[in-house]
Amino acid sequence: ERIKSGTVLPITPPPTFPSSSHPLWPEIEHVVQQQVEWARLGLGDSGSGWQLFAEDGEMRMYRREEEVDGMVVDPLKAVHIVKGITGHEVCHYFFSPQYRYDWETTLEQMTVLETISEDTCLFLQTHKRIWPASQRDVIFWSHIRHLPNNQDRDGPDIWTVVNHSTEHKDHPANSGKCVRIFLTVCMLCQTRVIPPKDGTPITRDDISCKITYCSVVNPGGWAPASVLRALYKREYPKFLKRFTAYVINQTKDKQIMF
Ligand code: 6CM
């Protein structure tokens, strides 16, 4: 059916995979919509309330200091522009379990508890213990999605991965040596292409990817605020730099995956 001009299209298209029949699906749909909206807002008009805590080249990281029941739950927003890679590539390497040990430095063990569909998995991860706190683990669903640009012919397509904590009957929280953390993470990517003026094929020199990474992590149990904030200040920039360098390295001799 033809779309009348002025019609506002939904931000996310309907699911194309059978994950829509999974019991987690309504939550996945809801959280993905919400996270994409939140990431697309950037820092808002004035950037008010966001505190720049790390800067390196094109990368900027901002946080808001927030506590719930005395626990640090600072929301984080990071923006980065990386040359030579596409949003599809960034999301592919962020989502796919087979690459996770290559770039995730805080990881001790990762288990895929369930492959809900090609675009959605359930993960159990244990992370390295950070003294003086207890070791942490996390269970989250992870969903990768392409949001084609239907509204603005010149606007970029979006690829996104959203990770969000959930429960699993075989792995109750805080039943072993680990304290369960709760997280919501969104990696949102827009690819910019400047085609060569002479009409020659597009190469990696003609593309760049704008990444917006948002996260909220609740440590789930006692962790000293100053240690946690120092940890985030060190680890988040390290993660984004290391991860994007990894994607550049993995893709440099491969065909561009738009
Ligand atoms: O988004 C990132 N990674 C994803 C794939 O692993 C996923 C998982 C994130 C888990 C983040 C856990 C960070 C460790 C938090 C420890 C907190 C408690 C310790 C207490 C210390 C006093 O979304 C990249 C995440 C990069 C994190 C720096």
Side-chain angles (χ1 to χ4, degrees):
E1 201 186 319
R2 281 200 61 211
I3 297 164
K4 293 190 199 91
S5 75
T7 305
V8 178
L9 296 170
I11 292 172
T12 55
T16 48
F17 292 100
S19 42
S20 54
S21 53
H22 193 275
L24 276 172
W25 189 252
E27 177 184 283
I28 293 172
E29 263 303 294
H30 172 71
V31 176
V32 170
Q33 295 269 1
Q34 198 184 47
Q35 288 301 306
V36 167
E37 270 175 49
W38 176 242
R40 290 185 76 173
L41 274 179
L43 301 172
D45 286 338
S46 57
S48 61
W50 291 101
Q51 197 184 103
L52 181 69
F53 74 91
E55 196 172 6
D56 190 340
E58 295 282 352
M59 186 185 80
R60 288 182 190 22
M61 291 197 159
Y62 304 84
R63 70 168 178 215
R64 272 185 139 105
E65 291 198 358
E66 276 181 28
E67 288 174 28
V68 171
D69 300 330
M71 269 184 296
V72 169
V73 290
D74 297 355
L76 171 131
K77 270 195 183 190
V79 281
H80 198 4
I81 296 174
V82 186
K83 290 188 183 131
I85 53 179
T86 67
H88 188 182
E89 290 167 337
V90 170
C91 287
H92 171 73
Y93 287 97
F94 188 65
F95 170 77
S96 308
Q98 68 265 38
Y99 310 115
R100 188 131 329 146
Y101 285 106
D102 295 345
W103 58 264
E104 181 62 285
T105 52
T106 66
L107 192 60
E108 187 171 278
Q109 203 189 346
M110 178 206 66
T111 310
V112 180
L113 293 177
E114 192 180 340
T115 302
I116 294 173
S117 64
E118 211 179 311
D119 58 4
T120 315
C121 290
L122 202 62
F123 290 97
L124 165 62
Q125 292 189 173
T126 54
H127 288 261
K128 290 175 186 156
R129 178 171 179 244
I130 292 149
W131 185 90
S134 312
Q135 192 175 14
R136 263 44 183 188
D137 69 4
V138 60
I139 292 181
F140 61 93
W141 53 255
S142 183
H143 177 75
I144 182 168
R145 186 175 290 195
H146 178 212
L147 307 172
N149 165 43
N150 299 322
Q151 297 174 41
D152 169 7
R153 261 166 44 94
D154 297 326
D157 276 10
I158 290 177
W159 276 89
T160 189
V161 176
V162 177
N163 296 341
H164 183 69
S165 277
T166 188
E167 292 172 355
H168 194 280
K169 60 175 177 22
D170 299 339
H171 303 276
N174 309 323
S175 54
K177 62 175 177 170
C178 286
V179 172
R180 178 74 41 93
I181 64 174
F182 299 92
L183 59 78
T184 305
V185 163
C186 176
M187 176 82 85
L188 185 117
C189 300
Q190 294 160 289
T191 310
R192 187 160 180 237
V193 184
I194 303 179
K197 290 202 174 65
D198 59 6
T200 53
I202 292 165
T203 71
R204 293 199 174 270
D205 294 336
D206 309 313
I207 60 175
S208 61
C209 180
K210 181 180 172 195
I211 298 173
T212 307
Y213 174 88
C214 304
S215 109
V216 180
V217 176
N218 183 324
W222 179 82
S226 59
V227 178
L228 208 47
R229 288 200 169 110
L231 174 82
Y232 291 163
K233 195 171 174 175
R234 187 182 69 228
E235 293 298 328
Y236 277 113
K238 188 168 139 194
F239 146 65
L240 203 53
K241 282 193 280 179
R242 184 184 158 94
F243 171 68
T244 50
Y246 174 74
V247 178
I248 292 171
N249 198 40
Q250 285 293 306
T251 53
K252 64 178 189 291
D253 299 321
K254 296 195 174 82
Q255 216 184 348
I256 303 171
M257 188 162 77
F258 283 104

